[in-house]
Amino acid sequence: NHIIVCGYGRVGRQVVTELKQNKERFVVVETKQEIFNLNDVRGGIIPVYGDATKDEILKEAGIEKAKAVITTLPNDADNLYVVLSARELNPKVKIIARASRFPSVKKMRVAGASNVIMPDSLGGAHMALLVLNPDTVDFIDQLSIHKPNSPSLVEIDFNSRSESTSFGALKDLTADVTLLGVKKANGDILISPKEDLMVEKGEKLFAIANHDVVTEFKNQIAKI
Amino acid sequence: NHIIVCGYGRVGRQVVTELKQNKERFVVVETKQEIFNLNDVRGGIIPVYGDATKDEILKEAGIEKAKAVITTLPNDADNLYVVLSARELNPKVKIIARASRFPSVKKMRVAGASNVIMPDSLGGAHMALLVLNPDTVDFIDQLSIHKPNSPSLVEIDFNSRSESTSFGALKDLTADVTLLGVKKANGDILISPKEDLMVEKGEKLFAIANHDVVTEFKNQIAKI
Ligand SMILES: [Ca+2]
Ligand SMILES: [Ca+2]
């Protein structure tokens, strides 16, 4: 139930920083032994030396029992290969893949990636946002921070007696919860969908709400 | 009062996509003429061929009258050079710089960059968060990246005939815009404030909306 990070370049290093901050268990697969410095080893990083595109290396990294693979190799073809191998060796593992070129994104999804991230596009979007909407960056930060008695972005599972309900009906349930979107069963995220969009059992709602009204809202949903 | 984008690689292209969607005026400085394809030229991109680290090229791009410079060159030393030159040629311009290595961040800030973005670190952080807190991150990503015909997070200035209006009255104006919060004159950001909160002239609203309904919404606000 650990995480496998493939590649220890700039992207991989940042992944590791985040995982360490969250006290997650992980190993790092990297071909170049010399890339790990003394701080890395002292910091508790468990390296697996070898090529992540090889099944035996993924097995050595514990792919069969892993909960997630994050592949950050510099080459799209290599990441695609890791996605395919990881998916084959563990049908349930979550796979996050890095891509550099747009055409790779679809290929990686088809191959079994749960999410594909393009650092350059993300960076470019962020740079533009800092000019276009500097306050938005601020706003999103506030939205993501959960504080008592202050509304923030929350995830709410749609578990009701009905098989499905319209997004509009859910919006009308209470004024204390501002519904923003839905994650559909196929993984698509719909932002401000039309009121007649049907939300199905087991799907997920995104909303802005105080933490203390979420439980009440879930109870209201349960009765639908 | 335009934006200068330096570099038309993957990062620069994404910057341009965002600027175009926001109908911003911009020029793109790039040494390689062949990097621009027919779509770019038809899409209204104004190229300035040359090396952005040269003062005369920045002047040709209109640095003295620009409101912002976004430098996305692949090399940190080049971006640092652009930051220094741009700051010298226009003390008021907003400068967003790309960096690859951590030590460059501080240097660029000292040189006059308003913000420094590291795409690889940003990408790595996102990849980790997709494992640690998957759906929220996915949702926020979708919210922030502007795509045609897809609602996203927008900022709307409150410029009306009235001095102030309640947040509730603004919410009732249209169902096409989901109001999320307000940035008050003192800089405070209020998320989902109470309906009786007064929004004052010059303050800013945050909302989820399609880009094409924002203008209409602004017109409605103006008449209040
Ligand atoms: Ca703005
Ligand atoms: Ca989550």
Side-chain angles (χ1 to χ4, degrees):
Chain A
N1 206 37
H2 63 297
I3 298 166
I4 302 174
V5 181
C6 303
Y8 199 56
R10 281 193 291 256
V11 178
R13 274 174 195 273
Q14 189 65 40
V15 168
V16 163
T17 300
E18 303 288 333
L19 297 184
K20 278 166 76 173
Q21 254 153 38
N22 282 272
K23 299 194 167 54
E24 289 280 342
R25 288 173 54 231
F26 63 92
V27 298
V28 180
V29 181
E30 169 61 54
T31 47
K32 301 191 213 73
Q33 294 206 19
E34 68 276 14
I35 216 170
F36 297 96
N37 59 37
L38 204 59
N39 279 339
D40 295 332
V41 181
R42 280 189 186 144
I45 286 181
I46 302 170
V48 175
Y49 300 115
D51 182 346
T53 66
K54 297 225 182 336
D55 282 9
E56 59 266 32
I57 297 295
L58 283 181
K59 282 181 188 166
E60 198 186 320
I63 182 69
E64 281 129 331
K65 284 180 288 180
K67 71 170 174 186
V69 175
I70 303 180
T71 183
T72 73
L73 304 176
N75 181 298
D76 282 15
D78 288 344
N79 284 322
L80 181 61
Y81 205 97
V82 171
V83 171
L84 276 164
S85 309
R87 181 54 69 227
E88 195 188 345
L89 294 167
N90 184 341
K92 287 185 178 169
V93 75
K94 176 158 208 165
I95 304 175
I96 316 290
R98 168 198 191 170
S100 298
R101 297 179 307 110
F102 280 104
S104 309
V105 176
K106 200 186 165 194
K107 288 186 177 67
M108 288 181 188
R109 287 239 175 87
V110 170
S114 319
N115 298 83
V116 184
I117 290 294
M118 300 182 68
D120 287 345
S121 299
L122 204 60
H126 210 87
M127 292 177 87
L129 198 63
L130 282 167
V131 169
L132 299 168
N133 294 315
D135 295 320
T136 297
V137 181
D138 238 355
F139 182 74
I140 287 177
D141 284 349
Q142 302 256 357
L143 208 56
S144 323
I145 297 170
H146 299 264
K147 283 175 291 190
N149 305 316
S150 163
S152 63
L153 182 60
V154 293
E155 295 176 13
I156 300 166
D157 292 323
F158 178 69
N159 288 317
S160 75
R161 283 192 295 215
S162 319
E163 278 308 301
S164 65
T165 308
S166 73
F167 190 72
L170 289 166
K171 275 168 89 169
D172 291 342
L173 277 181
T174 169
D176 292 337
V177 174
T178 307
L179 282 184
L180 307 181
V182 184
K183 183 180 184 188
K184 299 292 290 171
N186 66 5
D188 283 355
I189 286 178
L190 307 179
I191 292 170
S192 276
K194 295 202 190 310
E195 304 235 321
D196 60 3
L197 174 97
M198 295 308 283
V199 181
E200 314 285 332
K201 209 167 192 158
E203 294 182 340
K204 188 173 277 176
L205 302 164
F206 297 96
I208 293 179
N210 264 318
H211 210 272
D212 53 349
V213 304
V214 171
T215 311
E216 196 188 312
F217 187 66
K218 280 184 180 167
N219 290 341
Q220 283 181 287
I221 289 177
K223 287 175 202 148
I224 290 174
Chain B
N1 205 36
H2 62 298
I3 298 165
I4 302 174
V5 181
C6 303
Y8 199 56
R10 281 193 290 256
V11 178
R13 274 174 196 271
Q14 189 65 41
V15 169
V16 162
T17 301
E18 303 287 332
L19 297 183
K20 278 167 75 174
Q21 255 148 38
N22 282 272
K23 298 193 169 52
E24 290 282 341
R25 291 175 50 234
F26 64 93
V27 299
V28 179
V29 181
E30 168 63 51
T31 46
K32 300 190 214 71
Q33 295 206 20
E34 68 276 13
I35 216 169
F36 296 97
N37 60 37
L38 204 60
N39 278 339
D40 295 331
V41 181
R42 280 189 185 144
I45 286 180
I46 302 170
V48 175
Y49 299 115
D51 184 345
T53 67
K54 298 225 182 331
D55 281 10
E56 59 265 31
I57 297 295
L58 283 181
K59 282 180 188 165
E60 196 185 321
I63 182 70
E64 281 128 333
K65 286 180 286 182
K67 70 172 176 185
V69 175
I70 304 181
T71 183
T72 72
L73 304 176
N75 181 299
D76 283 13
D78 289 343
N79 284 321
L80 181 61
Y81 205 97
V82 171
V83 171
L84 275 164
S85 310
R87 180 55 69 226
E88 194 187 345
L89 295 166
N90 184 340
K92 284 183 179 170
V93 75
K94 178 160 203 163
I95 305 175
I96 316 289
R98 169 200 191 167
S100 298
R101 296 178 307 111
F102 279 105
S104 310
V105 176
K106 201 187 164 191
K107 288 186 177 66
M108 290 181 186
R109 288 239 175 86
V110 171
S114 319
N115 298 82
V116 183
I117 291 295
M118 300 182 68
D120 286 345
S121 298
L122 202 62
H126 272 247
M127 292 178 87
L129 284 166
L130 281 167
V131 169
L132 299 168
N133 201 359
D135 296 317
T136 298
V137 175
D138 214 356
F139 182 74
I140 287 176
D141 281 352
Q142 302 250 3
L143 209 56
S144 328
I145 294 174
H146 298 266
K147 284 175 289 190
N149 304 316
S150 164
S152 62
L153 183 60
V154 293
E155 294 177 14
I156 299 165
D157 293 323
F158 179 69
N159 288 318
S160 75
R161 284 192 294 217
S162 319
E163 278 309 301
S164 66
T165 308
S166 73
F167 190 73
L170 290 167
K171 275 169 87 169
D172 290 343
L173 278 179
T174 168
D176 292 337
V177 174
T178 306
L179 283 185
L180 307 182
V182 184
K183 184 183 182 184
K184 299 295 288 173
N186 65 3
D188 282 355
I189 288 177
L190 307 179
I191 292 170
S192 277
K194 295 203 190 308
E195 304 233 322
D196 60 3
L197 174 98
M198 295 309 284
V199 181
E200 315 284 334
K201 209 167 191 158
E203 294 184 338
K204 187 171 277 176
L205 302 164
F206 297 96
I208 293 180
N210 263 318
H211 239 270
D212 51 352
V213 304
V214 171
T215 311
E216 197 189 311
F217 186 65
K218 280 184 182 166
N219 292 340
Q220 284 181 285
I221 289 177
K223 286 174 203 151
I224 289 173

